Amino acid sequence: MAHQQLHLPFKFLEQPAGPGVREPWLMVLMHGVGSNEQDLFGLARLMPPQFHVLSLRAPYVLSPDAYAWFEFQVLADGERRIDEEQERESRFLVGEMIASASQQLGVPPERVVVGGFSQGGIMALSLLLTQPSKVRAAMVWHSRLLPQVVPHIAPPEAFEGKALWVSHGSADNVIPPSAAAASRELARGLPLALSGGDFPGGHEIRPAELQGSMAWLQSLAAGVNTP
């Protein structure tokens, strides 16, 4: 099948699913703050061949080649204050983009996964929690749950059959491991399949974590995670 031109509201890089894949999945990757679409795109070649991979560029420009899904300040007491309007706008736009890409590629929501690192992981988690009808699963690396998103979480029954991967660095000094623990705690109260864990290392994806993440994706695509 000839590869079609995708029309989306973001700049992105893409890698089509492997040849001969009859029922492709869609993976949407979102980078951390101050990075760009190149950052996670290197992981595309490690993904299972079922996945058509899109790596997005966040909409807000911080400096040349450095983008954010939303801006934030760290206050004197260490508290983070985010630009709530930017976060809402990004979440809305990514949700719309996923629906559009799904439709253009002919991939139903039950074969769509959102993934991200750090601030991109915040986006992936927020999307699964607030718009679960658009995705099957979220893959969240070194990230956290936004308190602003909690009031907008969909009803529990909307998460039947969904899956969530949460992994973190045990020595992450940018976003503490307690942030991942809080995300998992919330997820345990929902009827979804939770996977992941803490891995040795800081605010980076190391080989063992990457290997675990790819094995999880493979099991998802193979139907192992279905309830």
Side-chain angles (χ1 to χ4, degrees):
M1 141 179 159
H3 179 52
Q4 72 214 67
Q5 193 63 44
L6 277 177
H7 298 285
L8 301 173
F10 291 95
K11 285 241 173 13
F12 63 93
L13 294 168
E14 70 180 316
Q15 174 183 287
V21 171
R22 305 238 328 246
E23 293 196 324
W25 285 61
L26 173 61
M27 163 60 76
V28 177
L29 291 172
M30 290 172 281
H31 61 76
V33 68
S35 190
N36 58 51
E37 69 277 20
Q38 297 280 353
D39 190 19
L40 297 176
F41 191 60
L43 304 179
R45 60 189 174 79
L46 304 174
M47 304 249 163
Q50 293 96 320
F51 284 89
H52 184 116
V53 182
L54 298 180
S55 184
L56 307 184
R57 175 192 291 184
Y60 298 103
V61 183
L62 300 179
S63 61
D65 293 329
Y67 301 88
W69 301 98
F70 52 87
E71 293 175 53
F72 68 92
Q73 300 165 292
V74 180
L75 306 180
D77 62 0
E79 188 203 337
R80 289 160 191 251
R81 181 176 293 158
I82 73 162
D83 186 319
E84 297 189 18
E85 200 174 323
Q86 287 185 345
E87 187 278 327
R88 270 197 309 273
E89 182 68 11
S90 282
R91 186 154 35 96
F92 171 77
L93 276 175
V94 176
E96 293 294 289
M97 191 247 34
I98 288 168
S100 174
S102 277
Q103 196 175 12
Q104 291 177 59
L105 292 166
V107 177
E110 57 269 23
R111 297 204 301 269
V112 175
V113 181
V114 281
F117 175 77
S118 198
Q119 198 184 70
I122 290 178
M123 296 301 299
L125 180 60
S126 301
L127 272 154
L128 173 67
L129 292 175
T130 62
Q131 303 178 41
S133 62
K134 290 180 177 163
V135 299
R136 170 66 182 283
M139 183 165 63
V140 178
W141 292 309
H142 301 250
S143 197
R144 67 194 184 95
L145 172 70
L146 288 181
Q148 291 86 347
V149 163
V150 173
H152 305 291
I153 293 174
E157 59 272 19
F159 296 96
E160 294 283 355
K162 309 287 178 189
L164 173 63
W165 168 276
V166 176
S167 59
H168 215 87
S170 55
D172 193 323
N173 59 354
V174 177
I175 297 179
S178 58
S183 299
R184 293 184 192 119
E185 190 58 37
L186 178 107
R188 285 191 190 101
L190 299 170
L192 50 70
L194 176 64
S195 307
D198 287 349
F199 291 81
H203 198 62
E204 64 199 341
I205 304 169
R206 291 197 179 176
E209 182 179 4
L210 193 55
Q211 206 175 346
S213 307
M214 295 304 130
W216 174 76
L217 279 182
Q218 185 63 63
S219 71
L220 204 59
V224 178
N225 277 52
T226 47

